[in-house]
Amino acid sequence: DLEAMAASVETGIGLDYGWASLSVLKEDIDKTLAIMADVLMHPAFPPDKIELAKIQQRSAVSRRNDEPDSIASREFDKLIYGPQSVYARHTEYATIDAITRDDLVAFHKRFFGPNRVMAAVWGDFETEDMVQRIEKAFTGWKKVDTEVPPPPKVDYEFVRTVNLAPRPDLNQSNILLGHIGGRRNDPDYFALVVMNQILGGGFTGRLFKNVRSRQGLAYSVFGTYGAEYVYPGQFVLGCQTKSESTVKAIQGIVDEIEKIRQAEVTDEELKLAKDSFLNSFVFNFDTEGEIVGRLLTYEYYGYPADFLLQTRDRVEKVTKADVLRVAKEHLHPDAVQILVVGNPEGFDKPLSTLGEVRTIDITIPPPAQDAGSGDQG
């Protein structure tokens, strides 16, 4: 039916929210709304589809060590948040196999209800008429009385660690280093946006100019001071480099963190960082859907509806003194956690020159043996 109408109904779920959306021509809104409402109110959870989803997840588990950058990202999350944190843990064969249809039914019954949903609509319609159509489509949807638990807190200790995920088959290293970041409601967030642009912002950032271009230590290099809505993000810098430049590249990146804490940035750097942010500001308004989606996000997380405009205004007011202050307060080059995915036999120096090395085991736990056939699931 959806294909015949050139319509779509999509759903998804993440760490702390799920979503559903529809897109359809105006004349087919009632039929598509009915389909969307049926999906949300009366999901079938057919066993064959559950098994297909499990097969897809098992396949993803089996391939998770194929790409070095994926290994680095996954293991760095564990360093920052802890291996058992909801912000870092990952799927295993055993966790997939343990899920039953009853688990899905119970989850849906617990969390999916009209009093736990926010809705937004944009397009060619009269508001009162659209409200009536939505109310009709979702008639009979029963409320749920479950309170959503608060986001887990992050207990972080600033400590320097050196970590290696050995990949003897590689001739280059994937490097990540950093520590915990912040939240977007931190008053320093706006100055950190500018600092981040100066330190790691693309072709104009210090990392690109000094570590990649001037010293030639990396194929690619980046840095970001991450800030999430309700839990801390990550301050993370990284690069890809040939194995024989591994330790030198790490030292070069740490040096740049040190430098931005020691002296004010230049007038040119400040202007370029602000211009880069402000010139890209218009792309926040590409489509009505993007705008409405952002408003929903702010409402969901308890941020003011004009938070994006506040960010623009506050970024314009950031000074060189502000950048230096937040760099000193929020960056800890002596307590970065260092992670390398690569072949230690090819490194320019032993990683131990940076500190005691912890070897990370990235072996994928095998699937459970099938009791009936003895084959692996």
Side-chain angles (χ1 to χ4, degrees), residues 94-317:
T95 56
I96 292 299
D97 293 340
I99 296 171
T100 68
R101 182 180 183 278
D102 288 343
D103 294 324
L104 306 188
V105 172
F107 186 91
H108 177 267
K109 184 177 180 181
R110 181 182 179 191
F111 291 113
F112 282 67
N115 54 321
R116 297 227 57 88
V117 170
M118 300 163 58
V121 193
W122 63 95
D124 179 18
F125 56 83
E126 295 295 330
T127 299
E128 185 176 343
D129 177 64
M130 180 58 66
V131 169
Q132 292 175 356
R133 291 172 186 268
I134 294 172
E135 289 178 340
K136 179 182 177 181
F138 287 93
T139 298
W141 198 11
K142 296 180 180 179
K143 294 182 179 181
V144 293
D145 58 8
T146 301
E147 287 296 321
V148 177
K153 293 183 178 180
V154 177
D155 295 321
Y156 186 82
E157 179 183 357
F158 284 95
V159 59
R160 183 183 179 95
T161 68
V162 182
N163 307 270
L164 170 67
R167 280 290 300 266
D169 57 319
L170 299 180
N171 59 13
Q172 70 176 38
S173 295
N174 282 67
I175 300 167
L176 293 179
L177 62 89
H179 51 65
I180 200 73
R183 297 180 181 85
R184 298 192 185 201
N185 56 6
D186 186 329
D188 287 341
Y189 169 70
F190 313 100
L192 287 163
V193 168
V194 177
M195 181 213 70
N196 178 70
Q197 189 67 31
I198 295 170
L199 180 61
F203 300 116
T204 62
R206 290 184 177 186
L207 289 178
F208 186 92
K209 290 191 292 186
N210 296 332
V211 176
R212 183 186 185 279
S213 298
R214 185 170 61 82
Q215 299 183 63
L217 292 176
Y219 312 123
S220 63
V221 64
F222 72 93
T224 181
Y225 188 91
E228 303 291 345
Y229 287 102
V230 294
Y231 67 93
Q234 300 176 12
F235 170 59
V236 55
L237 305 95
C239 71
Q240 292 180 325
T241 186
K242 57 188 178 181
S243 298
E244 54 267 34
S245 299
T246 299
V247 173
K248 192 173 183 181
I250 292 171
Q251 292 170 331
I253 293 174
V254 174
D255 286 345
E256 293 304 323
I257 307 174
E258 293 275 11
K259 289 176 185 176
I260 204 166
R261 297 177 72 251
Q262 293 171 351
E264 288 187 350
V265 300
T266 66
D267 291 332
E268 181 183 8
E269 285 179 314
L270 183 69
K271 183 179 185 304
L272 192 60
K274 288 185 180 182
D275 287 348
S276 178
F277 175 83
L278 296 171
N279 289 341
S280 64
F281 192 79
V282 65
F283 297 112
N284 291 297
F285 304 91
D286 286 343
T287 66
E288 290 179 340
E290 184 178 16
I291 296 168
V292 174
R294 183 167 56 246
L295 291 174
L296 271 181
T297 299
Y298 290 158
E299 177 72 16
Y300 182 79
Y301 288 116
Y303 281 65
D306 65 344
F307 181 74
L308 185 64
L309 298 179
Q310 289 186 27
T311 302
R312 179 197 62 189
D313 296 341
R314 297 284 293 276
V315 163
E316 287 181 324
K317 297 176 182 177

